Amino acid sequence: MGRQIGALLWKDLIVELRRREQVLSLAVFSLLVLLIFNFAFDLRRTDLAAAGPGILWVTFVFTAVLSLNRAFSVEQDRGTWEGLLLAPIDRGAIYLAKLAANLAFTLVVEVIAIAAFTTFFDLPSNVLQLIAAVLAGTLGFATVGTLFAAMAANTRAREVLLPILLLPVSVPVIIGSVKATAVAFEGVDASTGQYPWLGLVLAFDAIFLAVSFAVFEYVVED
Amino acid sequence: MLAASAQLDSDRRAVSPGSAVESRSNAILGWATAVLMAASLYAVFVYAPIERTQGLPQKIFYFHVPLAWDAYLAFLCTLIGSIGYLRTSQRRWDALAQSAAEIGVVFTSLVLISGSIWGKTIWGAWWAWDARLTSTLVMWFIYVAYLMLRSALGRTVRAARHAAVLGIVGFIDVPIVHMSVTWWRTLHPQPTVANPAGPTLPGSMLLAFFVCLVTFTVLFVFLLRERMAVERLRDDVDELGSMLLAGAA
């Protein structure tokens, strides 16, 4: 199974490296979201601790939804999805490979977005905490997101159906990641440091990685 | 032509056997709901005393909490139906999951609406971003998404399978959402019935509350059975339609 995942992941990465359309367009998109937020809130460096975590996560969530939508729709538009299902590959391997490819694309875009955020505004004081929050939150979003993207890809209204499915279910990830990022911005204080937010997100990651892996075969079986 | 309709008649019996018995037992259940509902109204408005600080608006509680109970019961049925469907691929499990989800969304909507009316009179605002309100709203969104997924995929095996996956993921998510939102904020009144230190409600109010709880549970079972009967009829119509088409060809 490890070799299957490796091969599938390699395929997605090669396709992306040759065409370079997904990461580039998503990076431009995330920069635009940051630009819009700057106008929407008229941001100054002083209100960064209050608004920064929210701005970052809305940007990440929008980007992740777009990225997830493409993961399966590209396969279907090129007609390679049937080929993937016909190949003697474990369904779980398809799920994990798609999850890994998505994580890779989203994380690259997030690094670009954070770099831009740092240039536009400022870097949060606790960088390690920020990295941990971004990794845990992105994983949580991608676990359920990959499962739902496979479901939404079969429908006509997939672009809007995916966020409708994904956003309510990932509310714990959004709350936990925003709070954990807030800790990175202002250090631990009474309102944000009271609960183990990162632990909450990691627990979500573990539960939904297991559940999504277990039920993925029912989503792609046809 | 006559032979064809006789054929259809016998096929219909084959499609849903025992439906006559079922509809009679459900009619009894419907009448029981009506009687219990009258008893509940009596218990709420005549038997139970008027609360000292809140006054009449407190009466909403007798319907609000049983509605929430029904919603959770419905989503539990959706979970059971979803697991049953993924394990057996039998249509009746899917019908259970779908029917319960629809009823659950209706009841969750009623919980949100009745809560808002209460909140407007007691808190002075239709909505507050309190933990229980927020997590109920998120739960409502999860199951609205469930219904939207179903309608996007039509009446197909794929729709049933996708919906079953969401029925499981959504139910697992509800307690996690609740916990995360509770950490985030809490304003809702503390439990007065399921309180670890024993109920804080006076006896007569507690009795009225339990009458309502039983009423709404029976109402839920009645609605669920009716809704599942509709689903069976739909299946019959589909089947007869395809039979007619096959006969015509």
Side-chain angles (χ1 to χ4, degrees), chain B residues 44-130:
Chain B
V44 169
F45 288 105
V46 181
Y47 171 73
I50 290 176
E51 217 257 356
R52 196 184 307 152
T53 49
Q54 294 186 13
L56 272 178
Q58 183 265 344
K59 302 278 185 204
I60 289 178
F61 156 86
Y62 297 109
F63 274 25
H64 177 73
V65 178
L67 282 168
W69 157 257
D70 272 2
Y72 282 109
L73 211 58
F75 296 142
L76 179 66
C77 288
T78 301
L79 174 77
I80 294 168
S82 300
I83 294 174
Y85 183 73
L86 288 188
R87 290 182 73 100
T88 63
S89 296
Q90 279 171 4
R91 174 75 179 110
R92 59 198 174 98
W93 287 112
D94 179 47
L96 169 69
Q98 178 178 12
S99 310
E102 277 181 19
I103 298 171
V105 168
V106 171
F107 277 108
T108 311
S109 310
L110 291 174
V111 169
L112 290 169
I113 293 168
S114 60
S116 284
I117 296 171
W118 181 87
K120 181 66 188 167
T121 46
I122 302 298
W123 292 337
W126 293 108
W127 185 263
W129 289 102
D130 149 76

Side-chain angles (χ1 to χ4, degrees), chain B residues 60-244:
Chain B
I60 289 178
F61 156 86
Y62 297 109
F63 274 25
H64 177 73
V65 178
L67 282 168
W69 157 257
D70 272 2
Y72 282 109
L73 211 58
F75 296 142
L76 179 66
C77 288
T78 301
L79 174 77
I80 294 168
S82 300
I83 294 174
Y85 183 73
L86 288 188
R87 290 182 73 100
T88 63
S89 296
Q90 279 171 4
R91 174 75 179 110
R92 59 198 174 98
W93 287 112
D94 179 47
L96 169 69
Q98 178 178 12
S99 310
E102 277 181 19
I103 298 171
V105 168
V106 171
F107 277 108
T108 311
S109 310
L110 291 174
V111 169
L112 290 169
I113 293 168
S114 60
S116 284
I117 296 171
W118 181 87
K120 181 66 188 167
T121 46
I122 302 298
W123 292 337
W126 293 108
W127 185 263
W129 289 102
D130 149 76
R132 228 172 300 182
L133 270 72
T134 311
S135 61
T136 307
L137 182 66
V138 173
M139 182 171 82
W140 184 82
F141 272 120
I142 290 175
Y143 286 95
V144 165
Y146 176 96
L147 297 182
M148 292 185 77
L149 178 72
R150 292 207 79 117
S151 78
L153 288 164
R155 294 167 53 74
T156 57
V157 174
R158 181 185 274 170
R161 228 187 274 126
H162 284 16
V165 165
L166 187 56
I168 295 169
V169 170
F171 194 83
I172 297 171
D173 200 43
V174 167
I176 305 176
V177 169
H178 187 79
M179 196 181 78
S180 62
V181 177
T182 306
W183 285 3
W184 181 66
R185 202 161 291 175
T186 287
L187 185 77
H188 193 278
Q190 288 311 301
T192 49
V193 179
N195 195 309
T200 55
L201 275 187
S204 55
M205 286 185 174
L206 202 61
L207 184 65
F209 169 73
F210 277 114
V211 171
C212 293
L213 197 63
V214 170
T215 304
F216 275 84
T217 309
V218 176
L219 172 69
F220 168 70
V221 175
F222 168 68
L223 288 176
L224 184 64
R225 288 171 57 114
E226 283 291 305
R227 182 62 188 79
M228 286 177 74
V230 169
E231 207 56 31
R232 260 195 307 278
L233 285 176
R234 253 185 213 166
D235 288 346
D236 289 0
V237 169
D238 285 355
E239 203 152 323
L240 291 171
S242 58
M243 263 187 244
L244 273 178

Side-chain angles (χ1 to χ4, degrees), chain A residues 147-148 151 154-155 161 164-165 168-169 171-172 175 179 195-197 200 204 207-208 211 215 218-219 221-222, chain B residues 86 138 141-142 145 148-149 152-153 158 161-162 165-166 168-170 172-173 176-177 179-181 183-184:
Chain A
L147 177 72
F148 287 170
M151 281 160 56
N154 288 322
T155 65
L161 194 60
I164 286 178
L165 295 173
V169 169
V171 159
I175 295 180
K179 289 289 187 184
Y195 297 108
W197 295 110
L200 172 80
F204 183 99
I207 292 170
F208 283 103
V211 172
V215 297
Y218 297 108
V219 167
E221 180 187 335
D222 259 310
Chain B
L86 288 188
V138 173
F141 272 120
I142 290 175
M148 292 185 77
L149 178 72
L153 288 164
R158 181 185 274 170
R161 228 187 274 126
H162 284 16
V165 165
L166 187 56
I168 295 169
V169 170
I172 297 171
D173 200 43
I176 305 176
V177 169
M179 196 181 78
S180 62
V181 177
W183 285 3
W184 181 66

Side-chain angles (χ1 to χ4, degrees), chain A residues 3 7 10 33 41-42 46 53 94-95 112 148-149 156 177 184 221:
Chain A
R3 274 189 50 225
W10 184 239
V33 174
F41 291 148
D42 196 5
T46 43
I94 298 183
Y95 170 72
I112 296 171
F148 287 170
R156 267 168 300 154
S177 307
E221 180 187 335

